[in-house]
Amino acid sequence: MEYYIFISNDCNLNCNYCSILLKKGKCNIPQEPAFSVAELNNFIDKTQRKYNDKSADIVFFGGEPTLNYPFIEKIISSQDSKFEKPYEYHYMLHTNGLLLGEIPDNILKHLDSIMLSINYDKIPRLKLNEGYFKTIINSVRIVKQRKPIPIVARLTITEETSLYSEIALFNPFFDAVYWQIENNYQFKDFKAFRDSYKY
């Protein structure tokens, strides 16, 4: 069973395609989780036992979950107990990567993979050694030196994005590249986008 745990609905980026930040104010979404670690664990335990599932796959999600590392540590510590359970935990972190280089050892030790969402709007086209791009690539290198963990680049593709160029740019730094097409009501020029995408 997969569990997407919202660690924080705050974020240190402002991606124009992010639905969480747009809806946070309108829908009164809380900044931090309104549930306790004990309540979360009880829910997971009941669900796992109900479906006799042998794997509880926990995805730390947001907003930006690395803004609340202490809460992630609490969850992992509480689940890393000496009591035998009829299932095992697997952890994945979904992050924008800006604070990934500061990840605590106890969290990194338990992670099975990291998915890093990339905001292509913040990537400079000429000087890739500056700012945002440099920060996330350095974070990936720091993590890889500490633990050889799979790190996946996650891109959001729009009509303005060259999928080929983006994958060529990120492929050397990541174990895999995953992308999704931006959710919108209509394309300005669908045929041009389709032709570019197919290419």
Side-chain angles (χ1 to χ4, degrees):
M1 196 72 64
E2 283 187 342
Y3 303 89
Y4 284 76
I5 312 300
F6 277 78
I7 301 301
S8 171
N9 280 318
D10 198 7
C11 189
N12 48 4
L13 277 179
N14 187 22
C15 305
N16 57 12
Y17 49 79
C18 178
S19 59
I20 297 298
L21 289 179
L22 291 174
K23 291 180 181 175
K24 190 170 68 169
K26 293 178 186 175
C27 302
N28 202 24
I29 298 173
Q31 192 92 331
E32 294 188 357
F35 54 85
S36 68
V37 172
E39 288 171 324
L40 171 66
N41 288 338
N42 285 338
F43 173 77
I44 292 172
D45 193 54
K46 282 182 186 176
T47 307
Q48 289 298 120
R49 291 177 190 276
K50 178 179 178 179
Y51 294 101
N52 194 27
D53 196 329
K54 303 300 180 191
S55 178
D57 300 325
I58 310 291
V59 182
F60 299 118
F61 208 71
E64 178 48 45
T66 62
L67 292 173
N68 197 359
Y69 275 137
F71 193 64
I72 296 176
E73 286 191 284
K74 278 184 191 174
I75 292 171
I76 290 174
S77 296
S78 71
Q79 294 169 347
D80 191 26
S81 66
K82 296 175 183 176
F83 301 106
E84 285 294 320
K85 293 187 176 76
Y87 52 90
E88 57 185 30
Y89 287 99
H90 301 281
Y91 299 100
M92 184 175 100
L93 176 65
H94 194 288
T95 176
N96 62 30
L98 291 175
L99 298 175
L100 188 58
E102 303 168 20
I103 190 169
D105 288 334
N106 189 45
I107 295 175
L108 182 58
K109 177 177 76 173
H110 285 85
L111 289 180
D112 293 294
S113 61
I114 296 170
M115 184 169 280
L116 201 153
S117 286
I118 295 165
N119 185 335
Y120 59 88
D121 284 337
K122 299 195 182 298
I123 300 168
R125 295 295 122 188
L126 299 174
K127 297 181 179 178
L128 295 182
N129 63 336
E130 292 183 3
Y132 172 77
F133 186 82
K134 182 179 180 182
T135 300
I136 60 174
I137 296 307
N138 282 345
S139 293
V140 168
R141 286 183 175 140
I142 289 167
V143 167
K144 286 285 194 180
Q145 287 169 358
R146 292 167 61 191
K147 181 180 180 181
I149 184 173
I151 302 180
V152 178
R154 178 180 174 271
L155 309 173
T156 299
I157 302 303
T158 71
E159 284 186 80
E160 286 74 39
T161 309
S162 165
L163 181 57
Y164 181 86
S165 299
E166 296 299 321
I167 292 177
L169 177 63
F170 290 108
N171 187 53
F173 306 104
F174 294 89
D175 298 287
V177 179
Y178 157 88
W179 65 88
Q180 64 186 33
I181 298 172
E182 181 183 25
N183 186 15
N184 57 14
Y185 292 107
Q186 65 183 38
F187 291 91
K188 295 170 192 161
D189 186 343
F190 177 72
K191 183 181 182 310
F193 173 73
R194 184 189 61 194
D195 291 346
S196 171
Y197 187 84
K198 282 171 70 177
Y199 171 79

